[in-house]
Amino acid sequence: MFSVTTLYYIYRDFKRRFWHLGSKKVSAMEHGVYGSAEDNAPLLPKSQTGDQQRRGQSSSLMKIFFVCLLASVITTAVAVLVVVFASPNRSQTVDSKVLTSTLPPVDVKYKYLNHMDKSKLFKLEGGNVQWARYRSNPDHYDSREEQEFGDSINSQQAQVTGSTLLMKPNGCRVPHWHFNANEHGYLVKGSAWIGILDSAPFVVTSYNVTAGQVIFLPRSTLHWLKCVGNEDCLFVLFFTTHEELITMEVDNVFYSTPQDIAARSLKPKGGIDFIKSFKKPSKEQGVNLPPNLAELVRKANYVQSVDSNVWRYFYDLKASKQYKYPGGVMQWARYSKKTQSLSVNEQIFSQSLHDHEDTLTIATMQIVSNGMRQPHYHFNANEMGYVVRGCGKVGVISKSKIVTNFDINIGDVFFFPHGAQHYIKSTCDEDLFLVIAYSTGNELQTLDMDIYFQSTADFILAQLFRKHQDEFQKIPTFKVPQDINLP
C-alpha cells in the first residue's frame, strides 16, 4: 500500500521521464523515423502538434496516477476491515488497555475489602450464591474493586475463597465435589441436612446442622446440602483455594456420559431406555427446587449417622468453650495438640482437620460496642472474615508498610495476609459478630501488640523510640488476656 505522498513522487518522476520521451517521439515523427511526414502528419498546423501530444501524454499520466491512488485507497480499506472483523480480541484488548489507563486508581482498601453482599447475585432455582474470589479472566469481574480484591488474595496466595449460600426451604445444593479445595461452612440461620460420601470404604454420613454450627467437607468428597424447615438457610462458606474453584455436579457428569456407558454401569431395569428417559433441565441445577417436588418425592428419610462418623465433618461451635475477654468472646473450631482438655466431638473433629491437607481454622468473634481486637498479626495463616451483624473499623499495615483503614458492615468480607498487623474495632451500638477463617490446619500462632511490647526489654524500647527508659514502666502487665479489650 502506498501513501498519497509516495504516489505524488512517483507521478512526478513518471511525468518527468515520459514528458521527455514524448518530446523525442514528436521530434522523430517530424523527421520521418516512424514513417513519412505525410503518413503521420496531424490535421492541425505543425506548430501545434508538439503541444497537443505533450498534453495527451500528461493526461495519460494523470489517469495512471489516479488509478493507482484509487487502488491504494481500496486496498487500505479492505485491510482495515480484515483487521476489525478477523481480530476482535485484539481490538478489545487495546480498548481495555486504553480504558484502564484512563480510569482513576482503585482505593487500596479493596485489596482487603470485598462488599460481597453487593456483588453479583447468582440466582438459582432453589437459592442464591455470592462470591469473594479470584477470576483468571478479568472480564468476569463485575467491578474494578472486586478485581482488586481477587487479585490480592491470589497474589498473596491466601489459600481461602469466601462465599455465601442462601437456600430456600427444600432447596438443595445438589450432589457435587470440588477438585481443588476443602469446604468449611458456618450456618448463620436455618436448619439443614448434610450428606457426604468420603473415600474408601465409601461410608455415607448424613447429619443435621443448625444455626451456629460448623461443617467440614474434604476435597473431592461427594456431598450435598438441603435446607429443611420453614425458613431460609444461610451458609457462610470458605474454600481452601486462592485460584478459581473447580466443581463438578453429579447431574452434569451423568448427562455428559454416553447413554450406553451409563446403562452398562448402572444396569437399570429397562436398560438404555431407562437412561434415555432422563431429560436435562434447561436451567442450571446447582441449587435446585423443582416446582413439582411434592409429586417427585413421596417420603424423605433423614437418618442421623453415628456420632463417631458425624463428628469427622461436624462441630457444634456455638456450644463449644467460650474464650472471654474484657471486650468480647471468641469460639474456635480448630486443631489442637492438647487433646486431654477436649470433648470427644472436639477430639474427633480436631484429628479430622489434621488428617486432611490444607484445612482451615474457623472461629467466631463477638466484639461489644467500642470493644477492639487489638493490633496483632499471625505467623502461619492468612485471615478472611465475614460480617454477620454490627459494624466496625479495620486497620491493616501491609508488607509494603502502607497503612489502610476502612469501615466494615454486614455482608462485607475482609482479608489480612499473614504477617500483616491488623486490628478490628466495633463502632455500632450493637455487638460486632464475625465468622473468620484462618488458612491453617495446625495451631494458629498469633502475636498481639501488648505482648511484644511487654516482652521487649525497656532499654531496647528506650533506644528505639528515643524515650526515657523509665517511661516504659507505664505500660502495665495484664492478668487478664487483652486480645479483645475495652478502653
Side-chain angles (χ1 to χ4, degrees):
M1 294 182 291
F2 299 105
S3 66
V4 174
T5 304
T6 303
L7 287 171
Y8 167 74
Y9 284 115
I10 292 173
Y11 162 70
R12 190 178 68 175
D13 185 60
F14 276 22
K15 182 178 179 182
R16 186 188 308 118
R17 293 175 182 272
F18 281 99
W19 188 284
H20 180 64
L21 180 60
S23 299
K24 286 184 178 182
K25 184 176 179 180
V26 171
S27 177
M29 289 171 65
E30 290 175 348
H31 289 85
V33 174
Y34 294 101
S36 66
E38 289 77 14
D39 295 335
N40 296 284
L43 297 177
L44 294 174
K46 192 177 261 189
S47 61
Q48 299 180 21
T49 302
D51 292 339
Q52 182 178 8
Q53 291 198 359
R54 288 186 183 92
R55 284 195 296 270
Q57 291 291 335
S58 177
S59 176
S60 298
L61 288 172
M62 288 296 291
K63 291 178 180 179
I64 293 172
F65 169 72
F66 284 114
V67 167
C68 291
L69 178 61
L70 180 60
S72 175
V73 171
I74 293 173
T75 304
T76 303
V78 170
V80 170
L81 290 174
V82 169
V83 170
V84 170
F85 290 103
S87 307
N89 292 334
R90 180 180 177 185
S91 177
Q92 290 174 3
T93 302
V94 173
D95 291 344
S96 177
K97 289 180 179 179
V98 171
L99 180 62
T100 302
S101 65
T102 59
L103 292 174
V106 178
D107 193 322
V108 69
K109 72 180 181 182
Y110 289 108
K111 290 182 180 292
Y112 314 103
L113 173 66
N114 181 291
H115 298 303
M116 188 163 66
D117 68 324
K118 297 179 177 64
S119 67
K120 181 177 180 179
L121 188 68
F122 291 86
K123 295 182 179 181
L124 301 166
E125 193 176 43
N128 305 320
V129 179
Q130 290 179 289
W131 294 93
R133 60 179 172 177
Y134 165 75
R135 307 306 301 271
S136 59
N137 186 341
D139 292 337
H140 292 170
Y141 288 108
D142 286 335
S143 68
R144 296 177 65 223
E145 289 76 15
E146 284 186 29
Q147 181 177 356
E148 188 76 3
F149 184 85
D151 290 348
S152 174
I153 64 174
N154 183 259
S155 63
Q156 298 281 353
Q157 297 184 336
Q159 205 62 27
V160 60
T161 289
S163 176
T164 53
L165 168 62
L166 179 67
M167 293 189 292
K168 303 173 185 177
N170 284 321
C172 179
R173 177 65 181 99
V174 300
H176 65 283
W177 66 89
H178 308 294
F179 286 87
N180 61 335
N182 300 301
E183 179 177 353
H184 296 253
Y186 176 89
L187 185 58
V188 176
K189 67 175 183 177
S191 176
W193 273 90
I194 312 298
I196 180 170
L197 175 61
D198 208 336
S199 56
F202 304 114
V203 175
V204 177
T205 302
S206 59
Y207 57 92
N208 178 238
V209 58
T210 57
Q213 297 176 331
V214 166
I215 62 174
F216 168 54
L217 307 168
R219 178 191 289 108
S220 297
T221 56
L222 180 68
H223 56 274
W224 51 263
L225 303 84
K226 181 167 181 176
C227 185
V228 296
N230 297 319
E231 68 172 328
D232 292 346
C233 295
L234 176 61
F235 277 98
V236 177
L237 302 174
F238 297 102
F239 301 89
T240 59
T241 182
H242 50 264
E243 303 289 348
E244 289 193 337
L245 183 65
I246 305 173
T247 301
M248 185 69 75
E249 278 86 10
V250 167
D251 60 326
N252 288 331
V253 173
F254 176 80
Y255 289 119
S256 299
T257 303
Q259 293 178 332
D260 62 321
I261 300 299
R264 185 169 177 176
S265 176
L266 300 177
K267 298 184 182 299
K269 291 181 180 180
I272 195 170
D273 290 335
F274 174 78
I275 301 299
K276 290 180 177 179
S277 68
F278 287 79
K279 305 299 180 185
K280 185 175 182 178
S282 58
K283 295 181 179 179
E284 173 63 40
Q285 295 293 295
V287 184
N288 88 342
L289 183 57
N292 61 336
L293 182 62
E295 300 174 13
L296 299 174
V297 179
R298 292 188 297 106
K299 184 179 181 180
N301 295 316
Y302 300 108
V303 179
Q304 181 87 3
S305 299
V306 296
D307 289 345
S308 58
N309 286 342
V310 171
W311 290 341
R312 296 172 62 194
Y313 314 107
F314 163 85
Y315 186 69
D316 191 357
L317 184 59
K318 67 180 179 182
S320 67
K321 178 180 178 180
Q322 293 186 341
Y323 292 82
K324 297 182 178 181
Y325 305 98
V329 178
M330 289 194 72
Q331 291 178 283
W332 297 90
R334 59 183 174 180
Y335 167 72
S336 177
K337 297 178 181 178
K338 301 176 181 178
T339 58
Q340 299 85 355
S341 61
L342 302 179
S343 67
V344 178
N345 181 188
E346 288 174 321
Q347 290 180 18
I348 294 175
F349 185 78
S350 171
Q351 190 59 46
S352 179
L353 291 179
H354 197 61
D355 290 343
H356 292 87
E357 294 182 354
D358 302 325
T359 55
L360 300 175
T361 292
I362 301 296
T364 55
M365 183 185 297
Q366 182 174 345
I367 307 177
V368 301
S369 180
N370 206 32
M372 180 183 70
R373 176 65 181 99
Q374 69 159 298
H376 64 284
Y377 67 91
H378 308 294
F379 290 88
N380 62 334
N382 299 296
E383 176 179 346
M384 182 177 287
Y386 176 84
V387 182
V388 176
R389 61 177 180 269
C391 62
K393 189 176 186 63
V394 164
V396 57
I397 304 175
S398 68
K399 294 177 182 178
S400 56
K401 300 180 182 179
I402 297 175
V403 181
T404 307
N405 297 281
F406 54 89
D407 296 326
I408 54 174
N409 296 281
I410 295 173
D412 284 343
V413 170
F414 54 84
F415 165 65
F416 305 129
H418 74 87
Q421 180 173 286
H422 54 277
Y423 71 86
I424 306 172
K425 182 181 178 182
S426 176
T427 56
C428 287
D429 292 335
E430 67 172 325
D431 294 353
L432 175 63
F433 188 82
L434 311 170
V435 181
I436 302 175
Y438 302 89
S439 62
T440 180
N442 293 313
E443 291 186 331
L444 183 66
Q445 300 173 10
T446 302
L447 185 60
D448 289 1
M449 176 178 278
D450 66 329
I451 299 300
Y452 66 70
F453 260 82
Q454 293 162 6
S455 301
T456 303
D458 55 8
F459 66 89
I460 296 296
L461 293 174
Q463 182 172 341
L464 171 63
F465 291 101
R466 300 174 182 268
K467 199 172 182 65
H468 195 279
Q469 182 175 355
D470 293 342
E471 290 290 304
F472 293 95
Q473 301 302 316
K474 295 179 180 179
I475 300 176
T477 300
F478 300 98
K479 295 181 179 180
V480 178
Q482 296 292 302
D483 298 38
I484 307 176
N485 68 15
L486 282 171

